[in-house]
Amino acid sequence: MQMKEYKPLIVAFCCNWCSYAGADLAGNNRLNYPADVKIIRVPCSCRVNPMFILRAFQRGADGVILCGCHPGDCHYTSGNYYTRRRMAMLFSMLDYLGVERERTRVEWVSAAEGAKFAATMNDFVAQVTALGENKRLEDLRCKR
Amino acid sequence: MQRIGVFVCWCGSNIAGTVDVKAVAEALKAEPGVVYSTDYQYMCSQAGQNLIIDAVKEHNLTGLVICSCSPRMHEATFRKTAAAAGLNPYMVEIANIREQCSWVHKEMPVGTEKAIILGKAAVAKVNLNTSLTPGESPVTKRALVIGGGIAGIQTALDIADAGFPVDIVETKPTIGGKMAQLDKTFPTLDCAACILTPKMVDVAQHDKIRIFSYSEVTEVKGFVGNFDVTIKKKARFVDETKCTGCGDCVDKCPMKKNPNEFNMGMDNRSAIYIPFAQAVPKVATIDAGACTMLKKGKCGLCSKVCGAGAIDYTQKDEFIEEKYGAIVVATGFNPISMDKFDEYAYSQSKDVITSLEFERLTNAAGPTQGKLLRPSDGKHPHKIVFVQCVGSRCAACAEKGKEYCSKICCMYTAKHAMLTRDKYPDTEVYVFYIDVRTPGKNFDEFYRRAVEEYGVNYIKGMVGKIVPEGDVLKVQASDLISNKQLHIDADLVVLAAAIEPDKSARPLATMLTASMDTNDFFTEAHPKLRPVESPTAGVFLSGACQGPKDIPETVSQAGAAASKVIGLLCKDKLTGNPCIASANEMMCNGCSSCERVCPYGAITYSDKEFRMPDRTTQIRRVASVNPAVCQGCGACTVACPSGAMDLKGFTNSQIMAEVDAICK
Ligand SMILES: Cc1cc2nc3c(=O)[nH]c(=O)nc-3n(C[C@H](O)[C@H](O)[C@H](O)COP(=O)(O)OP(=O)(O)OC[C@H]3O[C@@H](n4cnc5c(N)ncnc54)[C@H](O)[C@@H]3O)c2cc1C
Ligand code: SF4
Ligand code: SF4
């Protein structure tokens, strides 16, 4: 029997002003990246509550990426600085719980960086694919 | 329970080419809450919108999911459609199946599968949407301009000419800024005073403009349309309403040995002074640090000679509170201090001066009545060396200089060199430069004239050291083009000092919650598309406080800022963004976590009375968000440890529902 090709499930949180627009630009320029990435729009990267990320892992996500404006370019002046600090904390805690660092990432993508968006997603998907399924936090009651 | 309609757009073949739109519409029918699902070639077209409106009526829809292009493209369109159908515009969510799906995934089954998932997430979110109504707030139809340089003057005149009252707050005793100190101005060489002073008079005489000179802004509260500002009018010990500006007191004052700021300290002024003849307001000011009457209670001469009885040694600082709808920052710039550039011997020799000092030295109203004389011995200099980029473009010397280009120095140095050669053809003039940057209109022509017609020696290279020796300044420099070391015995050296924002800009930015870059220049809301607005609503930027600028640029930006202010003040009411934070008072424990992270100062606390189940009452401190100030970033929602703070339109439960739908 042939194994079905493993496809990771990736949740990407993108801030409305920079990264979501960067993703749109990747679309405009027809830059391909894997369909495993599903984007959720938030006003600012600092809107992302660590709970959302935990929930995603609990529900079976294999990787979570958070994209915001470059430091200094936040539409709300300082939101992405909060993100940076909060996520550093959260990711190290997740690491401690056995969710590998490679499954989480914060990336700054501006509205002009369609190519960077696509490249980042290609890279992240490859990285998570290499790790395989995420079983650590998955709540079996919500099995896909 | 919501009654949701799903509308899948083909976008011609843009979506339908890689996504099976019919399959998407079909699959989403099974989602909770969905009562109607369809597809159409162009949803955004009039026919597509009518299809939506008809469906809302026919199926009693309460929420809409449009699977189409990016919400950045057509969210506004479909919100209007919803409103036309009688729904709240915020009952619409968009699944971006074009930019995020059909355009980036090539195979139909892959694209279709993802489009369905994105559609499911949007449905899950709409199920939790609620009607949102933007708040309204009134607009105070008066503007405040902080800084009275050419930028502030132009902005104030333009706003006042449109019929709105304007107040100018200027720290110095007079308006005018740096331009009032200049001699002639590039690229046309018209005299600064001739073009500036008529504008200053216009300001003084305008019935819509008030000038608060020798004043500072000390407190700013409120938000766009409704700022409450406190202005401190510093005691000048002269009653402005009585002083006629005759200058009798200035002549009689015995304390004459105080460095004259207006002439860059190159001559002296008395303790009571009027900065220059065309000052506006033309009112005397007593320098409290220099006046013996104020320091020791001895003298009082000025009071005796003042025919108008304007002198008042008991005057106190006065605080004025005023309301404004808009605030314009026009605090300008200053040349950086030369203290750290000792290689150029600025502190060792009086004959090493800055360009702004050179302006005063060549100005007919300056310390030498416009004669170019050496500050040390009053002799005419025969060899002058100009050094460009002193402290500018200096990535390696960040601790004493600036990384950026000060932009105006190439042009004013060419001006200085040209004017010197024009008036004193016997003078040899050298200019040392890294690059000559002349991108403005008629700028390069101007520079070439300096070289070709006026014989100014331009040398590409840096000056390494200047050593004062007897009567001369020994200039050691390298000529990068002929690759030679040069030794020039100069009589006068002029340093084109880098410029930096006024030191008061940072505390002011904090008061206004406006943002600044690492160099303390105010940042604009968008570097290309919103260059005269700050990211804080209602705060606008004019002139060199936003970045180095020459006069033509300053004036255009000043006018642009004025037009934005006028646009704001024309409105009677402002409608806000309804997607803002709000605290659930029952859950809030008053911990202040949210207040600390809010970049806009939108959160305040108040004690509220709560009725407890046992019929007693309890007073608790709870957070509340000012809807006119909140910009909806959501930082507070994450900071809140008790889960009391939530963001409308992007609530915790809505985002969780999206996560769940995607991970199902
Ligand atoms: C040596 C030299 C030569 C120049 N020559 C030319 C030329 O030939 N042609 C040309 O186009 N440009 C020239 N420029 C540039 C020109 O001076 C500027 O473009 C112009 O002055 C900018 O105007 P501004 O109003 O933005 O700033 P400023 O002129 O600096 O005015 C700012 C005003 O705000 C006041 N202020 C600051 N902080 C506060 C506060 N917190 N509260 C209240 N008030 C405050 C200041 O006192 C000042 O009056 C030259 C500049 C220099 C240094
Ligand atoms: S959403 Fe942002 S702007 Fe609004 S109150 Fe919270 S932190 Fe402040
Ligand atoms: S962070 Fe939450 S609990 Fe604390 S004051 Fe703000 S809303 Fe109240």
Side-chain angles (χ1 to χ4, degrees), chain B residues 146-153 169-172 174-179 182 184-187 215-217 330-335 355-357 359 408 411-412 415-416 443 497 499 502 504-505 508 542-545 549-554:
Chain B
I146 306 174
I150 180 63
I153 289 174
V169 171
E170 166 61 56
T171 37
K172 301 263 169 66
T174 172
I175 60 170
K178 250 55 81 201
M179 189 174 168
L182 305 182
K184 297 199 170 49
T185 53
F186 66 75
S215 301
E216 281 161 15
V217 170
T331 48
F333 71 98
N334 285 306
S355 300
L356 198 50
E357 289 164 6
E359 292 280 348
I408 53 177
M411 284 302 289
Y412 70 57
K415 167 182 84 174
H416 293 162
F443 282 15
I499 61 174
D502 195 90
S504 68
L508 186 64
S542 173
C545 65
K549 273 185 198 64
D550 58 24
I551 298 164
E553 266 188 291
T554 299

Side-chain angles (χ1 to χ4, degrees), chain B residues 583 587-595 603 605 622-623 636 639-645:
Chain B
M587 287 161 83
C588 173
N589 61 31
C591 67
S592 294
S593 306
C594 53
E595 182 205 17
I603 301 172
Y605 295 90
V622 290
C636 55
C640 176
S642 44
M645 203 46 107

Side-chain angles (χ1 to χ4, degrees), chain A residues 16 20-21 24 27-28 30-33 35 37 39-41 43-44 46-47 52 55 59 76-77 82 86, chain B residues 70-72 75 96 99-100 103-106 110 114 597 600 633 635 637-638 646 650-652 660 663:
Chain A
N16 182 47
Y20 196 91
D24 277 356
N28 283 325
R30 314 293 196 274
L31 304 172
N32 294 318
Y33 56 88
V37 177
I39 297 175
I40 294 180
R41 182 163 74 127
C44 174
C46 75
R47 173 66 188 95
F52 304 159
R55 175 82 149 218
R59 297 280 157 141
Y76 305 99
T77 329
Y82 297 131
R86 285 172 188 159
Chain B
S70 172
R72 296 173 52 89
E75 190 171 57
N96 182 349
E99 281 84 349
Q100 283 177 17
W103 276 355
V104 286
H105 310 315
K106 287 207 186 83
V110 175
K114 177 164 167 183
V597 297
Y600 303 95
C633 65
T637 61
V638 183
D646 211 347
F650 294 92
T651 60
N652 288 331
D660 289 357
C663 297

Side-chain angles (χ1 to χ4, degrees), chain B residues 113-184:
Chain B
E113 190 197 336
K114 177 164 167 183
I116 293 171
I117 295 176
L118 295 179
K120 284 181 179 173
V123 170
K125 188 173 180 193
V126 170
N127 263 309
L128 299 167
N129 276 23
T130 49
S131 296
L132 301 177
T133 324
E136 279 188 344
S137 56
V139 179
T140 306
K141 294 180 179 280
R142 180 185 296 115
L144 171 66
V145 174
I146 306 174
I150 180 63
I153 289 174
Q154 187 64 47
T155 304
L157 282 172
D158 287 351
I159 299 172
D161 282 345
F164 296 105
V166 186
D167 291 347
I168 301 180
V169 171
E170 166 61 56
T171 37
K172 301 263 169 66
T174 172
I175 60 170
K178 250 55 81 201
M179 189 174 168
Q181 291 175 283
L182 305 182
D183 179 34
K184 297 199 170 49

